[in-house]
Structure formats: structure tokens, C-alpha cells
Amino acid sequence: MPGAAELGERPVWDDAAGALIWVDIRAGRVHRHRPGGSDDHFDAGPTVGAAGLRAGGGYVLAAGTEFVLTGPDGAAETRIAVPGDGVFNDAAVGPGGRLWAGTATPDLTPGAGALYRLDPDLSVHLMLDGVTESNGLAWSADGTTMYYVDSGQRRPRIRAFAHDPASGALGAPRDFAVFGEGDGVPDGLVVDAQECVWVALWEGGAVRRYAPDGSLLAHLPVPARLVTCPGFGGPGLADLYVTTAWEGMTAAARAADPLAGHVLRCRPGATGSAAVRFAA
């Protein structure tokens, strides 16, 4: 579907509304696409890294340097500032209805970003520091593993952290998947109903699927070079939506990459799981 986003990110399926929620980070817009129906958006601020769903309706946003709770119309109800020099990039709601969101500085200063957790009582917790470009976040079905990408690392990889679903605490990480020269940079993540990890490859023009043991199962070419995040939606959560970007492209490069910035859809033969909602 057309989007033409400079930096599209984090497609999330709202099963109650039958709509795909996704953001254009640089435009600060939250988009809502109803297949076969309407498309609309609301403005979230100068930038918005991701939008999650709230249990009572509305959205929880990682926008600029704030967490923002909104009503169903996108109107802000609560704002919670986060310290530091970074602005929010990707975010996702995880076990226990907690929102996890990471930052990066505009110039991607190495180690100047962080990963935060917003709990349902609206307390904010610093979970990781020394991050360069916080990106993909996803969890195993039992919540005991958190998959995470810092796209600014010298050694491109997905790490798997031990995670306590009851408290939200993180344990020791291990390398889950490592990427070589020419693969692209790992970006957004999602875990499907079969416990496999799907990752977008920025500058790689592809999405990959990995088994729970980290072995590569599939490499899905995408007709856009800057791929940002996969997410499942549609009937039976059988559609894979993929956000893309044209950030940093010249006019000539965009002409050669006409689907850059669009949200793409395919049927990969796998299905997703219902989105977890923020519990406040």
C-alpha cells in the first residue's frame, strides 16, 4: 500500500479495529490503514519512533523524548519525559503489558543511546545503556527471551536476553544471529506464532526468518533497499506487512527504488500472534 514515508517503522495489527498501525518517524505521524477501507493518520510530534496499543483503547507512543499516552483519536492524555540526549527510535509492548523503547542521538553518537521500559504504573526504568541505535524488540511466547537489535554495533547481530516476564528484568545476553558483510544491517523484529524470528535488513533489501535456535530458515527479498520492520496482520494474522524508507536517498536513488517508503504486504506461509497491549 502507498505510504511514501521517509522512515516507516513498526507495523502493528489492531485486531479490535481491523487496522494496521505504523509510523513515519521523521514526519511524527501515526498511520492507520484499514484494508479495503480508510487510511488516516494523526500527528504525534516532531518525531515518533513507534506506536503501541493500549488495553483500554488508544495508543502508547515513544515520541521524541517522551512517552505519550493517547486516546483513540490520538489526543495526548499523559506525557512522561525521559532524560538523555537521544530521541526514541523503535519500541514494542512486551510481556506484562510493558512498553520497551530505545533511543539514539540524531548523529548516532556511539554509546549515547539507551533502552527504557515504561511500566503500567507509568514508572520509567533504564534497562540498557551504551546503546548506539536502539532498534528491533520482540519476545518469545513464554516471555523468557527478549530479542534485541542495536543497529549501531560494529558487529551486526541480534542478541537474545534472558527476560523475567513477571518483573521485566533482563539477564545475560547471547548472540542469536550474526550478519556478514553485504547482508545489510538488522533493524526491526517480530516473532511469529511458530516462535520464529523475522528481521528486516536495512540496506539489505530483505526480511529473514530464523528458527528459535538461530538457524536461518528463509530469506525473503523485498523490492526496496531500506527495509525497517516486519509485522503480521490481516485475517488470521497471515499477512506480513513490511515498512520501508527513503531516508538519505538522492532523487536519482529514489527514482531507481520506487517502492522506497511504502508499506508492502505478502503471504509468507507463516502467521503472527496478537499484539500485546500496554496495560494502562
PDB file of all heavy atoms in Angstrom, residues 68-103:
ATOM      1  N   VAL A  68       4.103   8.965  25.505  1.00  0.00           N
ATOM      2  CA  VAL A  68       2.835   9.673  25.419  1.00  0.00           C
ATOM      3  C   VAL A  68       1.701   8.667  25.386  1.00  0.00           C
ATOM      4  O   VAL A  68       1.700   7.755  24.550  1.00  0.00           O
ATOM      5  CB  VAL A  68       2.768  10.573  24.164  1.00  0.00           C
ATOM      6  CG1 VAL A  68       1.460  11.369  24.145  1.00  0.00           C
ATOM      7  CG2 VAL A  68       3.971  11.515  24.104  1.00  0.00           C
ATOM      8  N   LEU A  69       0.750   8.819  26.285  1.00  0.00           N
ATOM      9  CA  LEU A  69      -0.468   8.013  26.266  1.00  0.00           C
ATOM     10  C   LEU A  69      -1.566   8.839  25.624  1.00  0.00           C
ATOM     11  O   LEU A  69      -1.785   9.998  26.005  1.00  0.00           O
ATOM     12  CB  LEU A  69      -0.880   7.605  27.681  1.00  0.00           C
ATOM     13  CG  LEU A  69      -0.220   6.350  28.261  1.00  0.00           C
ATOM     14  CD1 LEU A  69       1.282   6.520  28.384  1.00  0.00           C
ATOM     15  CD2 LEU A  69      -0.831   5.986  29.601  1.00  0.00           C
ATOM     16  N   THR A  70      -2.240   8.253  24.630  1.00  0.00           N
ATOM     17  CA  THR A  70      -3.278   8.991  23.915  1.00  0.00           C
ATOM     18  C   THR A  70      -4.614   8.264  24.005  1.00  0.00           C
ATOM     19  O   THR A  70      -4.683   7.071  24.334  1.00  0.00           O
ATOM     20  CB  THR A  70      -2.923   9.161  22.425  1.00  0.00           C
ATOM     21  OG1 THR A  70      -3.286   7.975  21.706  1.00  0.00           O
ATOM     22  CG2 THR A  70      -1.454   9.470  22.221  1.00  0.00           C
ATOM     23  N   GLY A  71      -5.661   8.986  23.646  1.00  0.00           N
ATOM     24  CA  GLY A  71      -6.961   8.380  23.460  1.00  0.00           C
ATOM     25  C   GLY A  71      -7.064   7.780  22.075  1.00  0.00           C
ATOM     26  O   GLY A  71      -6.129   7.851  21.269  1.00  0.00           O
ATOM     27  N   PRO A  72      -8.216   7.191  21.731  1.00  0.00           N
ATOM     28  CA  PRO A  72      -8.379   6.577  20.410  1.00  0.00           C
ATOM     29  C   PRO A  72      -8.212   7.551  19.252  1.00  0.00           C
ATOM     30  O   PRO A  72      -7.868   7.134  18.137  1.00  0.00           O
ATOM     31  CB  PRO A  72      -9.810   6.030  20.461  1.00  0.00           C
ATOM     32  CG  PRO A  72     -10.077   5.803  21.918  1.00  0.00           C
ATOM     33  CD  PRO A  72      -9.378   6.923  22.617  1.00  0.00           C
ATOM     34  N   ASP A  73      -8.439   8.837  19.506  1.00  0.00           N
ATOM     35  CA  ASP A  73      -8.289   9.834  18.441  1.00  0.00           C
ATOM     36  C   ASP A  73      -6.869  10.357  18.309  1.00  0.00           C
ATOM     37  O   ASP A  73      -6.590  11.205  17.454  1.00  0.00           O
ATOM     38  CB  ASP A  73      -9.252  10.999  18.670  1.00  0.00           C
ATOM     39  CG  ASP A  73      -8.996  11.735  19.986  1.00  0.00           C
ATOM     40  OD1 ASP A  73      -8.128  11.284  20.766  1.00  0.00           O
ATOM     41  OD2 ASP A  73      -9.669  12.750  20.237  1.00  0.00           O
ATOM     42  N   GLY A  74      -5.962   9.876  19.151  1.00  0.00           N
ATOM     43  CA  GLY A  74      -4.581  10.322  19.117  1.00  0.00           C
ATOM     44  C   GLY A  74      -4.289  11.531  19.980  1.00  0.00           C
ATOM     45  O   GLY A  74      -3.138  11.961  20.068  1.00  0.00           O
ATOM     46  N   ALA A  75      -5.303  12.076  20.643  1.00  0.00           N
ATOM     47  CA  ALA A  75      -5.086  13.232  21.516  1.00  0.00           C
ATOM     48  C   ALA A  75      -4.326  12.807  22.766  1.00  0.00           C
ATOM     49  O   ALA A  75      -4.688  11.826  23.434  1.00  0.00           O
ATOM     50  CB  ALA A  75      -6.414  13.869  21.911  1.00  0.00           C
ATOM     51  N   ALA A  76      -3.248  13.544  23.095  1.00  0.00           N
ATOM     52  CA  ALA A  76      -2.407  13.195  24.231  1.00  0.00           C
ATOM     53  C   ALA A  76      -3.155  13.342  25.544  1.00  0.00           C
ATOM     54  O   ALA A  76      -3.822  14.352  25.771  1.00  0.00           O
ATOM     55  CB  ALA A  76      -1.156  14.060  24.237  1.00  0.00           C
ATOM     56  N   GLU A  77      -3.030  12.343  26.415  1.00  0.00           N
ATOM     57  CA  GLU A  77      -3.626  12.376  27.746  1.00  0.00           C
ATOM     58  C   GLU A  77      -2.558  12.488  28.834  1.00  0.00           C
ATOM     59  O   GLU A  77      -2.761  13.171  29.846  1.00  0.00           O
ATOM     60  CB  GLU A  77      -4.457  11.117  27.980  1.00  0.00           C
ATOM     61  CG  GLU A  77      -5.631  10.975  27.031  1.00  0.00           C
ATOM     62  CD  GLU A  77      -6.393   9.671  27.220  1.00  0.00           C
ATOM     63  OE1 GLU A  77      -5.902   8.780  27.959  1.00  0.00           O
ATOM     64  OE2 GLU A  77      -7.477   9.546  26.630  1.00  0.00           O
ATOM     65  N   THR A  78      -1.418  11.824  28.626  1.00  0.00           N
ATOM     66  CA  THR A  78      -0.337  11.826  29.609  1.00  0.00           C
ATOM     67  C   THR A  78       0.993  11.870  28.875  1.00  0.00           C
ATOM     68  O   THR A  78       1.173  11.159  27.879  1.00  0.00           O
ATOM     69  CB  THR A  78      -0.384  10.562  30.484  1.00  0.00           C
ATOM     70  OG1 THR A  78      -1.661  10.462  31.101  1.00  0.00           O
ATOM     71  CG2 THR A  78       0.697  10.594  31.558  1.00  0.00           C
ATOM     72  N   ARG A  79       1.915  12.692  29.376  1.00  0.00           N
ATOM     73  CA  ARG A  79       3.261  12.766  28.804  1.00  0.00           C
ATOM     74  C   ARG A  79       4.279  12.496  29.906  1.00  0.00           C
ATOM     75  O   ARG A  79       4.151  13.024  31.014  1.00  0.00           O
ATOM     76  CB  ARG A  79       3.528  14.141  28.188  1.00  0.00           C
ATOM     77  CG  ARG A  79       2.645  14.450  26.985  1.00  0.00           C
ATOM     78  CD  ARG A  79       2.970  15.831  26.405  1.00  0.00           C
ATOM     79  NE  ARG A  79       2.151  16.149  25.259  1.00  0.00           N
ATOM     80  CZ  ARG A  79       2.441  15.799  24.006  1.00  0.00           C
ATOM     81  NH1 ARG A  79       3.570  15.140  23.761  1.00  0.00           N
ATOM     82  NH2 ARG A  79       1.640  16.110  23.003  1.00  0.00           N
ATOM     83  N   ILE A  80       5.288  11.677  29.595  1.00  0.00           N
ATOM     84  CA  ILE A  80       6.323  11.321  30.562  1.00  0.00           C
ATOM     85  C   ILE A  80       7.672  11.547  29.897  1.00  0.00           C
ATOM     86  O   ILE A  80       8.020  10.848  28.928  1.00  0.00           O
ATOM     87  CB  ILE A  80       6.186   9.857  31.008  1.00  0.00           C
ATOM     88  CG1 ILE A  80       4.779   9.602  31.568  1.00  0.00           C
ATOM     89  CG2 ILE A  80       7.254   9.501  32.030  1.00  0.00           C
ATOM     90  CD1 ILE A  80       4.419   8.145  31.638  1.00  0.00           C
ATOM     91  N   ALA A  81       8.425  12.518  30.369  1.00  0.00           N
ATOM     92  CA  ALA A  81       9.724  12.840  29.774  1.00  0.00           C
ATOM     93  C   ALA A  81      10.769  11.822  30.188  1.00  0.00           C
ATOM     94  O   ALA A  81      10.728  11.269  31.296  1.00  0.00           O
ATOM     95  CB  ALA A  81      10.158  14.239  30.194  1.00  0.00           C
ATOM     96  N   VAL A  82      11.712  11.567  29.278  1.00  0.00           N
ATOM     97  CA  VAL A  82      12.815  10.641  29.529  1.00  0.00           C
ATOM     98  C   VAL A  82      14.123  11.420  29.421  1.00  0.00           C
ATOM     99  O   VAL A  82      14.311  12.186  28.469  1.00  0.00           O
ATOM    100  CB  VAL A  82      12.789   9.476  28.518  1.00  0.00           C
ATOM    101  CG1 VAL A  82      13.998   8.580  28.699  1.00  0.00           C
ATOM    102  CG2 VAL A  82      11.506   8.677  28.680  1.00  0.00           C
ATOM    103  N   PRO A  83      15.032  11.282  30.378  1.00  0.00           N
ATOM    104  CA  PRO A  83      16.277  12.045  30.334  1.00  0.00           C
ATOM    105  C   PRO A  83      17.217  11.535  29.247  1.00  0.00           C
ATOM    106  O   PRO A  83      17.029  10.458  28.685  1.00  0.00           O
ATOM    107  CB  PRO A  83      16.873  11.812  31.716  1.00  0.00           C
ATOM    108  CG  PRO A  83      16.322  10.481  32.138  1.00  0.00           C
ATOM    109  CD  PRO A  83      14.941  10.426  31.572  1.00  0.00           C
ATOM    110  N   GLY A  84      18.252  12.336  28.963  1.00  0.00           N
ATOM    111  CA  GLY A  84      19.259  11.922  27.990  1.00  0.00           C
ATOM    112  C   GLY A  84      19.200  12.749  26.731  1.00  0.00           C
ATOM    113  O   GLY A  84      18.279  13.551  26.518  1.00  0.00           O
ATOM    114  N   ASP A  85      20.191  12.526  25.870  1.00  0.00           N
ATOM    115  CA  ASP A  85      20.304  13.300  24.636  1.00  0.00           C
ATOM    116  C   ASP A  85      19.652  12.619  23.444  1.00  0.00           C
ATOM    117  O   ASP A  85      19.561  13.212  22.366  1.00  0.00           O
ATOM    118  CB  ASP A  85      21.788  13.535  24.306  1.00  0.00           C
ATOM    119  CG  ASP A  85      22.499  14.343  25.378  1.00  0.00           C
ATOM    120  OD1 ASP A  85      21.839  15.221  25.966  1.00  0.00           O
ATOM    121  OD2 ASP A  85      23.688  14.078  25.636  1.00  0.00           O
ATOM    122  N   GLY A  86      19.208  11.389  23.612  1.00  0.00           N
ATOM    123  CA  GLY A  86      18.664  10.650  22.481  1.00  0.00           C
ATOM    124  C   GLY A  86      17.180  10.893  22.279  1.00  0.00           C
ATOM    125  O   GLY A  86      16.472  11.382  23.165  1.00  0.00           O
ATOM    126  N   VAL A  87      16.708  10.557  21.078  1.00  0.00           N
ATOM    127  CA  VAL A  87      15.280  10.551  20.775  1.00  0.00           C
ATOM    128  C   VAL A  87      14.869   9.118  20.490  1.00  0.00           C
ATOM    129  O   VAL A  87      15.672   8.286  20.076  1.00  0.00           O
ATOM    130  CB  VAL A  87      14.939  11.461  19.586  1.00  0.00           C
ATOM    131  CG1 VAL A  87      15.249  12.912  19.920  1.00  0.00           C
ATOM    132  CG2 VAL A  87      15.695  11.043  18.333  1.00  0.00           C
ATOM    133  N   PHE A  88      13.591   8.836  20.717  1.00  0.00           N
ATOM    134  CA  PHE A  88      13.124   7.462  20.573  1.00  0.00           C
ATOM    135  C   PHE A  88      13.142   7.002  19.128  1.00  0.00           C
ATOM    136  O   PHE A  88      12.775   7.740  18.209  1.00  0.00           O
ATOM    137  CB  PHE A  88      11.712   7.317  21.143  1.00  0.00           C
ATOM    138  CG  PHE A  88      11.682   7.210  22.639  1.00  0.00           C
ATOM    139  CD1 PHE A  88      11.007   8.146  23.406  1.00  0.00           C
ATOM    140  CD2 PHE A  88      12.332   6.169  23.276  1.00  0.00           C
ATOM    141  CE1 PHE A  88      10.975   8.044  24.786  1.00  0.00           C
ATOM    142  CE2 PHE A  88      12.312   6.056  24.661  1.00  0.00           C
ATOM    143  CZ  PHE A  88      11.629   6.996  25.416  1.00  0.00           C
ATOM    144  N   ASN A  89      13.576   5.750  18.970  1.00  0.00           N
ATOM    145  CA  ASN A  89      13.540   5.079  17.691  1.00  0.00           C
ATOM    146  C   ASN A  89      12.477   3.980  17.795  1.00  0.00           C
ATOM    147  O   ASN A  89      11.311   4.279  17.996  1.00  0.00           O
ATOM    148  CB  ASN A  89      14.934   4.550  17.328  1.00  0.00           C
ATOM    149  CG  ASN A  89      15.042   4.086  15.892  1.00  0.00           C
ATOM    150  OD1 ASN A  89      14.423   4.669  15.007  1.00  0.00           O
ATOM    151  ND2 ASN A  89      15.813   3.050  15.644  1.00  0.00           N
ATOM    152  N   ASP A  90      12.820   2.733  17.726  1.00  0.00           N
ATOM    153  CA  ASP A  90      11.830   1.668  17.750  1.00  0.00           C
ATOM    154  C   ASP A  90      11.353   1.391  19.174  1.00  0.00           C
ATOM    155  O   ASP A  90      12.047   1.673  20.159  1.00  0.00           O
ATOM    156  CB  ASP A  90      12.440   0.408  17.131  1.00  0.00           C
ATOM    157  CG  ASP A  90      11.397  -0.589  16.668  1.00  0.00           C
ATOM    158  OD1 ASP A  90      10.189  -0.291  16.767  1.00  0.00           O
ATOM    159  OD2 ASP A  90      11.782  -1.677  16.207  1.00  0.00           O
ATOM    160  N   ALA A  91      10.146   0.788  19.278  1.00  0.00           N
ATOM    161  CA  ALA A  91       9.561   0.438  20.570  1.00  0.00           C
ATOM    162  C   ALA A  91       8.568  -0.690  20.351  1.00  0.00           C
ATOM    163  O   ALA A  91       8.052  -0.885  19.243  1.00  0.00           O
ATOM    164  CB  ALA A  91       8.858   1.648  21.195  1.00  0.00           C
ATOM    165  N   ALA A  92       8.269  -1.435  21.432  1.00  0.00           N
ATOM    166  CA  ALA A  92       7.285  -2.512  21.349  1.00  0.00           C
ATOM    167  C   ALA A  92       6.752  -2.806  22.744  1.00  0.00           C
ATOM    168  O   ALA A  92       7.464  -2.654  23.740  1.00  0.00           O
ATOM    169  CB  ALA A  92       7.902  -3.773  20.742  1.00  0.00           C
ATOM    170  N   VAL A  93       5.495  -3.242  22.795  1.00  0.00           N
ATOM    171  CA  VAL A  93       4.892  -3.669  24.061  1.00  0.00           C
ATOM    172  C   VAL A  93       5.204  -5.137  24.262  1.00  0.00           C
ATOM    173  O   VAL A  93       4.997  -5.971  23.366  1.00  0.00           O
ATOM    174  CB  VAL A  93       3.378  -3.435  24.059  1.00  0.00           C
ATOM    175  CG1 VAL A  93       2.777  -3.867  25.402  1.00  0.00           C
ATOM    176  CG2 VAL A  93       3.057  -1.964  23.787  1.00  0.00           C
ATOM    177  N   GLY A  94       5.723  -5.455  25.455  1.00  0.00           N
ATOM    178  CA  GLY A  94       6.130  -6.817  25.757  1.00  0.00           C
ATOM    179  C   GLY A  94       5.328  -7.441  26.884  1.00  0.00           C
ATOM    180  O   GLY A  94       4.289  -6.909  27.295  1.00  0.00           O
ATOM    181  N   PRO A  95       5.811  -8.565  27.409  1.00  0.00           N
ATOM    182  CA  PRO A  95       5.111  -9.276  28.482  1.00  0.00           C
ATOM    183  C   PRO A  95       4.781  -8.364  29.657  1.00  0.00           C
ATOM    184  O   PRO A  95       5.541  -7.466  30.007  1.00  0.00           O
ATOM    185  CB  PRO A  95       6.125 -10.351  28.887  1.00  0.00           C
ATOM    186  CG  PRO A  95       6.917 -10.604  27.647  1.00  0.00           C
ATOM    187  CD  PRO A  95       7.053  -9.265  26.989  1.00  0.00           C
ATOM    188  N   GLY A  96       3.631  -8.622  30.260  1.00  0.00           N
ATOM    189  CA  GLY A  96       3.193  -7.810  31.381  1.00  0.00           C
ATOM    190  C   GLY A  96       2.624  -6.474  30.963  1.00  0.00           C
ATOM    191  O   GLY A  96       2.349  -5.624  31.812  1.00  0.00           O
ATOM    192  N   GLY A  97       2.438  -6.269  29.657  1.00  0.00           N
ATOM    193  CA  GLY A  97       1.892  -5.006  29.173  1.00  0.00           C
ATOM    194  C   GLY A  97       2.811  -3.830  29.393  1.00  0.00           C
ATOM    195  O   GLY A  97       2.368  -2.706  29.595  1.00  0.00           O
ATOM    196  N   ARG A  98       4.140  -4.071  29.334  1.00  0.00           N
ATOM    197  CA  ARG A  98       5.127  -3.008  29.496  1.00  0.00           C
ATOM    198  C   ARG A  98       5.610  -2.542  28.118  1.00  0.00           C
ATOM    199  O   ARG A  98       5.782  -3.357  27.212  1.00  0.00           O
ATOM    200  CB  ARG A  98       6.327  -3.505  30.301  1.00  0.00           C
ATOM    201  CG  ARG A  98       5.982  -4.142  31.639  1.00  0.00           C
ATOM    202  CD  ARG A  98       7.228  -4.722  32.313  1.00  0.00           C
ATOM    203  NE  ARG A  98       6.902  -5.445  33.527  1.00  0.00           N
ATOM    204  CZ  ARG A  98       6.695  -6.758  33.594  1.00  0.00           C
ATOM    205  NH1 ARG A  98       6.821  -7.499  32.498  1.00  0.00           N
ATOM    206  NH2 ARG A  98       6.387  -7.339  34.729  1.00  0.00           N
ATOM    207  N   LEU A  99       5.866  -1.251  27.990  1.00  0.00           N
ATOM    208  CA  LEU A  99       6.420  -0.718  26.748  1.00  0.00           C
ATOM    209  C   LEU A  99       7.924  -0.590  26.878  1.00  0.00           C
ATOM    210  O   LEU A  99       8.435  -0.005  27.835  1.00  0.00           O
ATOM    211  CB  LEU A  99       5.833   0.659  26.429  1.00  0.00           C
ATOM    212  CG  LEU A  99       6.385   1.305  25.151  1.00  0.00           C
ATOM    213  CD1 LEU A  99       5.870   0.587  23.908  1.00  0.00           C
ATOM    214  CD2 LEU A  99       6.054   2.790  25.089  1.00  0.00           C
ATOM    215  N   TRP A 100       8.637  -1.149  25.898  1.00  0.00           N
ATOM    216  CA  TRP A 100      10.088  -1.024  25.817  1.00  0.00           C
ATOM    217  C   TRP A 100      10.410  -0.119  24.636  1.00  0.00           C
ATOM    218  O   TRP A 100       9.860  -0.294  23.537  1.00  0.00           O
ATOM    219  CB  TRP A 100      10.732  -2.384  25.609  1.00  0.00           C
ATOM    220  CG  TRP A 100      10.552  -3.339  26.760  1.00  0.00           C
ATOM    221  CD1 TRP A 100       9.387  -3.923  27.176  1.00  0.00           C
ATOM    222  CD2 TRP A 100      11.580  -3.830  27.625  1.00  0.00           C
ATOM    223  NE1 TRP A 100       9.632  -4.752  28.240  1.00  0.00           N
ATOM    224  CE2 TRP A 100      10.957  -4.713  28.542  1.00  0.00           C
ATOM    225  CE3 TRP A 100      12.954  -3.623  27.706  1.00  0.00           C
ATOM    226  CZ2 TRP A 100      11.672  -5.386  29.524  1.00  0.00           C
ATOM    227  CZ3 TRP A 100      13.663  -4.299  28.680  1.00  0.00           C
ATOM    228  CH2 TRP A 100      13.029  -5.165  29.593  1.00  0.00           C
ATOM    229  N   ALA A 101      11.279   0.851  24.851  1.00  0.00           N
ATOM    230  CA  ALA A 101      11.606   1.806  23.796  1.00  0.00           C
ATOM    231  C   ALA A 101      13.050   2.248  23.929  1.00  0.00           C
ATOM    232  O   ALA A 101      13.530   2.506  25.036  1.00  0.00           O
ATOM    233  CB  ALA A 101      10.678   3.021  23.868  1.00  0.00           C
ATOM    234  N   GLY A 102      13.727   2.346  22.786  1.00  0.00           N
ATOM    235  CA  GLY A 102      15.138   2.725  22.796  1.00  0.00           C
ATOM    236  C   GLY A 102      15.390   4.023  22.070  1.00  0.00           C
ATOM    237  O   GLY A 102      14.589   4.474  21.244  1.00  0.00           O
ATOM    238  N   THR A 103      16.537   4.614  22.366  1.00  0.00           N
ATOM    239  CA  THR A 103      16.885   5.917  21.806  1.00  0.00           C
ATOM    240  C   THR A 103      18.178   5.845  20.994  1.00  0.00           C
ATOM    241  O   THR A 103      18.940   4.892  21.062  1.00  0.00           O
ATOM    242  CB  THR A 103      17.062   6.967  22.917  1.00  0.00           C
ATOM    243  OG1 THR A 103      18.151   6.576  23.761  1.00  0.00           O
ATOM    244  CG2 THR A 103      15.801   7.111  23.751  1.00  0.00           C
TER     245      THR A 103
END
